Amino acid sequence: MDVLTRRQREIFNFLRDNQENFTYPPSLDELCAALDMASRGSLHKHIMALINAGLVEPFNGNKQTGIRLTAQARLEDVAAGQDLPFVGSIAAGKPIEALETLSYMSVPDALKSDKPCYVLQVKGDSMIEAGIFDGDWVVIEQRPYARNGEIVVALIENTEATLKYIEQTAGQVLLLPANATMTALSYRPEQVEIQGVLIGQMRSYRSH
Amino acid sequence: MDVLTRRQREIFNFLRDNQENFTYPPSLDELCAALDMASRGSLHKHIMALINAGLVEPFNGNKQTGIRLTAQARLEDVAAGQDLPFVGSIAAGKPIEALETLSYMSVPDALKSDKPCYVLQVKGDSMIEAGIFDGDWVVIEQRPYARNGEIVVALIENTEATLKYIEQTAGQVLLLPANATMTALSYRPEQVEIQGVLIGQMRSYRSH
DNA sequence: AAAAAAGAGAACAAAAAGAGAACAAAAAAA
DNA sequence: TTTTTTTGTTCTCTTTTTGTTCTCTTTTTT
């Protein structure tokens, strides 16, 4: 597969950076106006190249409802820049803030994996005895399963997310804090959704 | 393979140091402008030499899509670039392995400072209660002084180096471990040389 | 002085980008 | 419904950009 030309990359970047400026996925004419181009046909060539590269797709099948980025596009972009998306903070007792990427963070290779990863900032002391402190950053590998003993980002009852050790048996899932002042929580498997597994941790000692 | 001429090395260095200033792999014309050259043809000769040397390659076959550094050249970039030197490990009771750079590690900006920094890997449990575990990496800002309460790399009697909390008073220097099973050490100021101060910490949970 | 390296500038073919027209199907409006 | 507008698609033609090659001149090195 061919690599994007400069103009194609330019248009893709524009699409990526201006998604939220379009109330609905933009049509070719709309894009022409936004890109200050006079010819729909010319733009069409570029869009076809982006579709070919898997970065863009028609929004509603073959209907004329505009185009949008593919799910793959964002990850590819992240991979190309090798920075990880920093998606917000996780505090015991609150749902994780929706996975909108706030910014990007360059992370050492040793703290990543070859699968999609993202970075969260930890709020609270529930994992203090595991050496994970309030304010630390954690690198999370995005996957829906975990082995016992791993530290996971778990979404409980679709409402609150926490960072805990996990122990799974036939009928129950145990979420264990690393803090003697807190107690373990026991759930049925269907109450808990694993959102990712801890694979890295970082701390800054800068006072600023 | 021929050796690079001075000008060729100059152009390669420019390419290496400015690759992030180009939004897209640069064309010959763009490079001419950036290098303040008037002739594409002249530049072409140099680029061909770099391609011949394996340092540079067309971005997409022979299409008009610019040139980029080869994978091999990127290694040179890491060495010269913004990554921090990884200089070895520090274990309580042993001198720090001489500050020869073993490799480089890309470290998040938040864990660096604007002063010279390097990375060490921690051996031992002397700082376990401060959340610094065996095998963790620490980012050290290289400076010969510290404030009380900071965690420092201290060289004792020119023979052994440790990572400890520091408390300095008029006549003595206290080095405090963060481990209830260990005891604090007391020295005279001239016995202790501060080699750097902890400003960042990282941990990998990958099994591998 | 001779040789090597670097540079300017012209010329050319191919690639890429763009303009604009035409058309059929879908969506919106009457 | 019918009509009008919008949208995606395809096409040809023109302009711009890019990589490449060439000759000739200038600068640097030996």
Side-chain angles (χ1 to χ4, degrees), chain A residues 4 6 199 201 203 205, chain B residues 24 30 199 201 203 205:
Chain A
L4 296 190
R6 174 188 307 247
I199 60 166
Q201 171 270 353
R203 185 181 310 140
Y205 284 84
Chain B
Y24 207 75
E30 252 191 317
I199 60 166
Q201 171 270 354
R203 184 182 310 139
Y205 285 82

Side-chain angles (χ1 to χ4, degrees), chain A residues 90-147:
Chain A
I90 180 171
K94 285 188 180 179
I96 197 172
E97 287 143 32
L99 285 182
E100 296 165 33
T101 298
L102 299 177
S103 63
Y104 294 87
M105 201 167 182
S106 103
V107 166
D109 289 341
L111 272 61
K112 298 183 212 170
S113 75
D114 50 349
K115 292 167 198 137
C117 298
Y118 55 91
V119 176
L120 289 173
Q121 191 164 32
V122 174
K123 302 289 180 197
D125 294 327
S126 69
M127 296 302 285
I128 200 169
E129 288 159 21
I132 300 171
F133 294 177
D134 183 65
D136 285 5
W137 289 282
V138 288
V139 181
I140 306 296
E141 179 180 304
Q142 198 160 17
R143 56 175 152 100
Y145 56 90
R147 284 175 296 183

Side-chain angles (χ1 to χ4, degrees), chain B residues 86-103:
Chain B
F86 174 64
V87 299
S89 59
I90 180 172
K94 285 188 179 177
I96 195 171
E97 287 144 31
L99 286 181
E100 295 165 34
T101 297
L102 301 177
S103 63

Side-chain angles (χ1 to χ4, degrees), chain A residues 9-172:
Chain A
R9 163 61 58 177
E10 216 173 288
I11 290 175
F12 171 73
N13 286 346
F14 179 89
L15 232 32
R16 187 197 54 198
D17 297 340
N18 292 77
Q19 257 177 321
E20 59 280 347
N21 298 350
F22 295 105
T23 50
Y24 289 101
S27 68
L28 290 184
D29 274 7
E30 260 186 307
L31 272 181
C32 273
L35 285 160
D36 203 25
M37 285 179 72
S39 165
R40 234 183 319 164
S42 302
L43 179 59
H44 181 258
K45 265 191 291 187
H46 291 129
I47 299 296
M48 286 309 288
L50 293 182
I51 290 179
N52 222 323
L55 295 175
V56 143
E57 63 190 356
F59 178 50
N60 196 14
N62 283 335
K63 299 198 174 175
Q64 310 175 181
T65 45
I67 57 169
R68 63 170 177 189
L69 301 193
T70 61
Q72 176 203 349
R74 188 127 221 170
L75 287 180
E76 283 228 5
D77 191 58
V78 169
Q82 81 205 14
D83 289 357
L84 295 188
F86 173 64
V87 298
S89 58
I90 180 171
K94 285 188 180 179
I96 197 172
E97 287 143 32
L99 285 182
E100 296 165 33
T101 298
L102 299 177
S103 63
Y104 294 87
M105 201 167 182
S106 103
V107 166
D109 289 341
L111 272 61
K112 298 183 212 170
S113 75
D114 50 349
K115 292 167 198 137
C117 298
Y118 55 91
V119 176
L120 289 173
Q121 191 164 32
V122 174
K123 302 289 180 197
D125 294 327
S126 69
M127 296 302 285
I128 200 169
E129 288 159 21
I132 300 171
F133 294 177
D134 183 65
D136 285 5
W137 289 282
V138 288
V139 181
I140 306 296
E141 179 180 304
Q142 198 160 17
R143 56 175 152 100
Y145 56 90
R147 284 175 296 183
N148 287 339
E150 287 186 320
I151 297 175
V152 303
V153 174
L155 182 65
I156 304 168
E157 304 270 24
N158 270 308
T159 54
E160 56 180 270
T162 53
L163 192 69
K164 295 281 189 312
Y165 282 113
I166 194 167
E167 289 291 334
Q168 301 153 305
T169 57
Q172 74 169 1

Side-chain angles (χ1 to χ4, degrees), chain A residues 184-199:
Chain A
L185 301 171
S186 171
Y187 295 94
R188 293 191 307 279
E190 64 270 23
Q191 291 177 289
V192 177
E193 180 193 333
I194 296 173
Q195 296 198 317
V197 176
L198 175 71
I199 60 166

Side-chain angles (χ1 to χ4, degrees), chain B residues 76-195:
Chain B
E76 291 209 22
D77 177 59
V78 169
Q82 71 250 11
D83 292 355
L84 296 188
F86 174 64
V87 299
S89 59
I90 180 172
K94 285 188 179 177
I96 195 171
E97 287 144 31
L99 286 181
E100 295 165 34
T101 297
L102 301 177
S103 63
Y104 291 87
M105 201 166 182
S106 103
V107 167
D109 289 340
L111 272 61
K112 297 183 208 169
S113 76
D114 50 350
K115 292 165 197 139
C117 298
Y118 56 91
V119 176
L120 289 172
Q121 192 165 30
V122 174
K123 301 288 180 197
D125 294 327
S126 70
M127 296 301 285
I128 199 170
E129 288 159 20
I132 300 170
F133 294 178
D134 184 64
D136 285 6
W137 289 282
V138 288
V139 181
I140 307 295
E141 179 180 305
Q142 199 160 17
R143 57 175 152 103
Y145 57 90
R147 284 175 296 182
N148 287 339
E150 287 185 320
I151 297 175
V152 303
V153 174
L155 181 65
I156 304 168
E157 303 269 23
N158 270 308
T159 53
E160 57 180 87
T162 54
L163 190 70
K164 295 282 189 311
Y165 281 112
I166 194 167
E167 288 293 334
Q168 301 154 305
T169 56
Q172 72 169 2
V173 175
L174 272 179
L175 296 177
L176 305 160
N179 185 328
T181 71
M182 300 181 181
T183 57
L185 303 170
S186 172
Y187 295 96
R188 293 188 309 281
E190 63 270 22
Q191 292 177 288
V192 177
E193 179 191 335
I194 296 172
Q195 296 197 317

